[in-house]
Amino acid sequence: MEMKDKIAEARSKVDELGHVFKSKYKRNKKIIYIFAEGKDDIIFYTSFIENYLPEGWDYDFILASETAKNIGCKTKIINSYNNFNWKIFNKNQIIFLLDRDLSDFLDDCIPKSTNVYVTDGYSIENSIISSKLFCRALHDLCDFSHLSCDERDIMSQFFEKQFKIFYDEMIQIMAWILYWRQKGYRPLLNSIKIKDLFKVEKGEISLAVKDKERHIHLNAKVKKDDVDIESYFKKLKKHKNSRLLIRGKYVFQFFEMLCRSVHKDYKEMNLNFLEKTSRRDPKLEFTDIAHMVQMPVSFKMFLNNSVKKYVSQTI
């Protein structure tokens, strides 16, 4: 093993998150400590936690993304969890939030514990982006007048149709991402932009590139291997929640593009029942939709089985 590899391995064993936690920790106080991967997680989980905790309670995040970049955020959190002495600390006061990513197909060694939450899909975005949120966003963020029940049904079906087209293309790309992960490659996934890969015209989504495989390899900075990618594609398709396996950030970018297209082209789409109440451009960032998002059922059950017990013991 080369010296640089030895240094990297030694650094990976340093529990930086544990040090951050210990600097904040207050025993038996009305505070819940939350280990999370990155800043985007805070936006949604903050809303969920604040609505769940009783009056007089507080919370504190320990973010893996704010420590050294020598290893991945998920690995940092898992390492930190494994370093805890649970004979000293109360599990119900300290929770760990992890993205599932493609871990169902990889050896990520995620701890199974009442205080470790793993998202239903690739990330938290997969649990919240839906036809229901789409209809809500048209009213709250795109400034269309209130939709009736029948109108919401029309727009929900429209959303599902476009998402199906998006999914059918993206699940093939996720097959490549799974292959890269299994091979230990380090693709630049954030460099794959949905706005460059797809176009949405008059509410209809379609590919904007002729060769999507070449496009993703160029942008992810990964050399294309001669591999039977069909076998990886079939693995993903067989998964019971294959709809939720698309990278969450890509799903959110699709959601934003579709909202903007309806906002711009609704008249040409013959959506005559839609009426704008203003001419401002819609704001569709994470922070703009956080207040509209419902807590996933699985996360509420998780809080009931962990945080709620600590709250009842401490009141």
Side-chain angles (χ1 to χ4, degrees):
M1 183 183 291
E2 295 183 6
M3 181 57 68
K4 64 178 182 179
D5 295 324
K6 290 180 179 180
I7 293 172
E9 182 180 1
R11 285 177 175 173
S12 70
K13 294 179 180 178
V14 175
D15 184 12
E16 296 174 273
L17 295 184
H19 292 312
V20 174
F21 164 76
K22 289 174 183 176
S23 70
K24 296 183 175 189
Y25 179 65
K26 297 176 183 178
R27 186 185 299 275
N28 299 325
K29 296 295 184 180
K30 294 183 177 182
I31 302 174
I32 300 300
Y33 297 95
I34 308 164
F35 285 70
E37 295 186 43
K39 292 181 178 179
D40 288 343
D41 297 318
I42 289 183
I43 295 171
F44 296 114
Y45 284 116
T46 293
S47 177
F48 301 153
I49 294 291
E50 286 185 345
N51 289 330
Y52 186 86
L53 290 175
E55 187 73 25
W57 280 75
D58 209 343
Y59 54 89
D60 207 342
F61 279 96
I62 296 94
L63 291 181
S65 62
E66 293 186 349
T67 57
K69 310 295 183 183
N70 51 298
I71 57 174
C73 291
K74 178 187 284 187
T75 302
K76 288 181 189 179
I77 292 178
I78 293 173
N79 288 349
S80 189
Y81 173 88
N82 291 332
N83 283 327
F84 263 86
N85 182 347
W86 294 115
K87 293 181 180 179
I88 298 175
F89 297 99
N90 189 329
K91 276 192 172 186
N92 296 325
Q93 188 188 13
I94 307 161
I95 61 175
F96 299 77
L97 311 180
L98 293 170
D99 289 342
R100 184 174 298 275
D101 298 329
L102 296 173
S103 60
D104 290 353
F105 307 92
L106 303 166
D107 185 21
D108 282 350
C109 300
I110 296 177
K112 293 184 178 181
S113 177
T114 54
N115 68 333
V116 176
Y117 176 72
V118 183
T119 55
D120 299 320
Y122 193 100
S123 61
I124 192 64
E125 290 95 329
N126 300 83
S127 293
I128 62 180
I129 300 299
S130 65
S131 58
K132 183 176 182 180
L133 182 65
F134 176 67
C135 291
R136 178 84 185 272
L138 291 179
H139 176 262
D140 287 17
L141 304 179
C142 297
D143 293 327
F144 287 109
S145 57
H146 178 73
L147 300 178
S148 69
C149 184
D150 289 341
E151 290 165 350
R152 286 196 300 273
D153 186 54
I154 292 171
M155 296 312 297
S156 292
Q157 290 181 41
F158 162 78
F159 175 89
E160 292 297 336
K161 178 182 177 181
Q162 298 309 311
F163 183 82
K164 177 64 166 56
I165 297 169
F166 174 72
Y167 165 84
D168 287 342
E169 298 290 350
M170 284 304 301
I171 198 68
Q172 298 173 43
I173 291 172
M174 294 307 301
W176 278 107
I177 293 175
L178 174 58
Y179 169 74
W180 295 337
R181 290 288 309 278
Q182 288 190 343
K183 293 291 287 185
Y185 297 165
R186 298 177 67 85
L188 303 178
L189 297 184
N190 287 336
S191 295
I192 300 175
K193 305 291 186 182
I194 299 303
K195 65 181 178 62
D196 298 327
L197 192 57
F198 290 88
K199 59 184 177 181
V200 183
E201 298 176 341
K202 300 179 183 179
E204 299 287 332
I205 190 166
S206 60
L207 282 174
V209 296
K210 291 182 179 180
D211 188 340
K212 66 184 176 187
E213 291 188 356
R214 182 175 182 274
H215 179 88
I216 64 170
H217 281 84
L218 284 173
N219 284 274
K221 300 291 189 287
V222 179
K223 182 181 177 182
K224 187 176 179 181
D225 293 340
D226 185 12
V227 61
D228 177 21
I229 203 63
E230 185 70 16
S231 61
Y232 292 86
F233 170 71
K234 288 179 179 178
K235 285 182 184 179
L236 296 177
K237 288 288 287 185
K238 287 181 180 178
H239 193 278
K240 62 179 180 180
N241 288 325
S242 65
R243 176 188 169 100
L244 302 180
L245 294 179
I246 310 300
R247 188 170 185 250
K249 285 182 172 57
Y250 298 157
V251 175
F252 186 84
Q253 290 171 39
F254 154 80
F255 176 84
E256 180 183 1
M257 288 176 67
L258 196 63
C259 286
R260 292 192 184 282
S261 179
V262 174
H263 181 267
K264 175 177 174 288
D265 299 324
Y266 71 101
K267 289 184 178 179
E268 296 176 63
M269 294 166 62
N270 294 320
L271 297 174
N272 299 321
F273 54 84
L274 291 179
E275 295 182 12
K276 279 186 184 176
T277 57
S278 80
R279 294 184 178 181
R280 65 176 182 175
D281 290 331
K283 293 182 178 180
L284 295 160
E285 301 295 330
F286 283 143
T287 50
D288 299 308
I289 72 167
H291 72 283
M292 304 188 303
V293 172
Q294 286 188 325
M295 185 189 303
V297 173
S298 62
F299 188 59
K300 186 172 184 179
M301 290 175 62
F302 166 77
L303 294 178
N304 287 341
N305 291 323
S306 55
V307 171
K308 187 176 182 180
K309 293 180 180 179
Y310 180 74
V311 170
S312 63
Q313 293 168 0
T314 310
I315 289 178

